[in-house]
Amino acid sequence: MSGPSPETERERRLRELAGRLLAHPSPGGPTTAELFLAELPPDAPPDLIVPGDLDLFGSLARRRDGQMTGIEVILDGTKPVSEFLLAYERDLESHGWRRFEPFQRHPGGFEGGFQMGPTAVFVNEKAVSALWIAARGVEGGRTEVGLRYDRENAANMMNNMSGPGREPPGWDMLPELRSPPGVNVQPQGSSGGGGRWTSEARAQTEMAVPEMEGHFAKQLVAAGWTRIAGTADETTGWSSWDVPDPGNWRGFLLVVSPFTGWRSMLLRVETIAGGTGGWSSTISAHR
């Protein structure tokens, strides 16, 4: 098998032009940008973990005084966004990364899929680096993933991370749920306390209730939940779940069609060994 064709002078100049256009001024001094097609920079740091089950489209290396300051990576695949994120998060955690939580409350349930900006941000305290992850479904059932590896802002981010607090039991037990492709899910708020936490949402869609309940149920299974019972018809779909956390927690998923063309969703975790206190949040979403 023959190797890749050598780069032509035109291709080299185009790559150099793109690199110059992508370079940007920085308070720390001039930076350079260099593009790589279907590969990572040869001096990519070892703590940059790239998903092995996606196609590497290309990367961009940013340097100052010859030292790497950041890398951007574009990948393509067929795995649904929610499945990719769960698997990739486990891989990152096994290599010393942890999710960056700028706020005390974990954006679980249907709010998890509504967060503005990147899909997730991770930090590696040993390497003093940060990783932004943006994943979205595109045409043809494919998933596009963008990674931004950063060494310039990681130290400040970690200095501003929230310290340990006294959160009520179950505050972080609602897994993030992502919308079905092409469906605009509008979060309707979350609430909890006293051993029960709930997230609600609605969507204007003709997607069948059983199909929508199944879409969210797959994400619960991927999060480690175990289905106990459930059923679905054209107006109502529900399922009960065993939640794999200490404290005898159970979960409940509900999808209903109150009006033609509308779906309402609810996700709840509950335990009989509840605590005290409560919390609530309301998010207004506009189409």
Side-chain angles (χ1 to χ4, degrees):
M1 177 181 291
S2 59
S5 302
E7 185 178 48
T8 66
E9 177 64 16
R10 174 180 171 80
E11 291 170 339
R12 186 194 67 78
R13 291 179 63 85
L14 281 173
R15 184 163 59 86
E16 182 179 350
L17 172 62
R20 291 186 183 186
L21 292 172
L22 290 167
H24 57 76
S26 170
T31 64
T32 62
E34 185 178 5
L35 290 170
F36 296 88
L37 181 61
E39 63 180 352
L40 293 174
D43 55 344
D47 61 302
L48 174 57
I49 307 301
V50 176
D53 54 351
L54 299 180
D55 296 326
L56 177 57
F57 191 81
S59 61
L60 168 71
R62 297 190 183 278
R63 298 184 180 87
R64 182 185 301 113
D65 297 328
Q67 299 297 314
M68 184 75 69
T69 61
I71 299 175
E72 296 169 38
V73 184
I74 299 296
L75 306 107
D76 290 315
T78 57
K79 184 179 292 186
V81 171
S82 58
E83 293 183 19
F84 155 74
L85 287 171
L86 285 168
Y88 189 36
E89 180 167 352
R90 295 192 191 102
D91 192 17
L92 288 171
E93 289 177 344
S94 70
H95 287 84
W97 292 84
R98 68 185 180 103
R99 185 184 281 264
F100 174 65
E101 299 287 1
F103 307 107
Q104 289 288 348
R105 188 182 62 81
H106 175 73
F110 301 103
E111 288 187 38
F114 187 70
Q115 301 304 302
M116 300 296 289
T119 307
V121 182
F122 285 77
V123 293
N124 189 319
E125 292 165 286
K126 183 178 180 180
V128 193
S129 51
L131 182 67
W132 280 260
I133 307 167
R136 65 188 183 98
V138 295
E139 293 183 1
R142 297 185 62 80
T143 295
E144 180 182 278
V145 176
L147 307 178
R148 182 162 69 88
Y149 174 90
D150 181 88
R151 283 183 166 175
E152 289 191 297
N153 304 299
N156 287 335
M157 288 176 58
M158 284 180 254
N159 288 335
N160 293 325
M161 290 181 75
S162 301
R166 297 183 59 190
E167 297 87 4
W171 73 284
D172 59 348
M173 294 181 60
L174 289 174
E176 296 183 13
L177 296 180
R178 299 284 163 179
S179 308
V183 177
N184 179 23
V185 171
Q186 304 171 6
Q188 298 298 295
S190 299
S191 61
R196 182 171 66 182
W197 296 84
T198 303
S199 175
E200 299 182 60
R202 67 178 181 179
Q204 187 173 6
T205 178
E206 297 297 335
M207 187 175 187
V209 169
E211 184 180 357
M212 179 166 281
E213 192 276 338
H215 172 82
F216 293 121
K218 288 180 181 178
Q219 297 179 57
L220 296 179
V221 171
W225 289 29
T226 302
R227 187 184 182 102
I228 299 173
T231 187
D233 56 31
E234 61 182 12
T235 60
T236 304
W238 68 270
S239 51
S240 58
W241 300 80
D242 181 57
V243 181
D245 286 83
N248 195 30
W249 289 85
R250 291 292 173 86
F252 181 73
L253 172 65
L254 175 68
V255 178
V256 297
S257 178
F259 305 101
T260 301
W262 284 93
R263 306 291 181 264
S264 295
M265 294 81 71
L266 176 146
L267 178 66
R268 174 180 294 171
V269 291
E270 187 168 356
T271 181
I272 57 174
T276 59
W279 170 91
S280 65
S281 168
T282 301
I283 293 181
S284 298
H286 301 280
R287 292 183 62 81

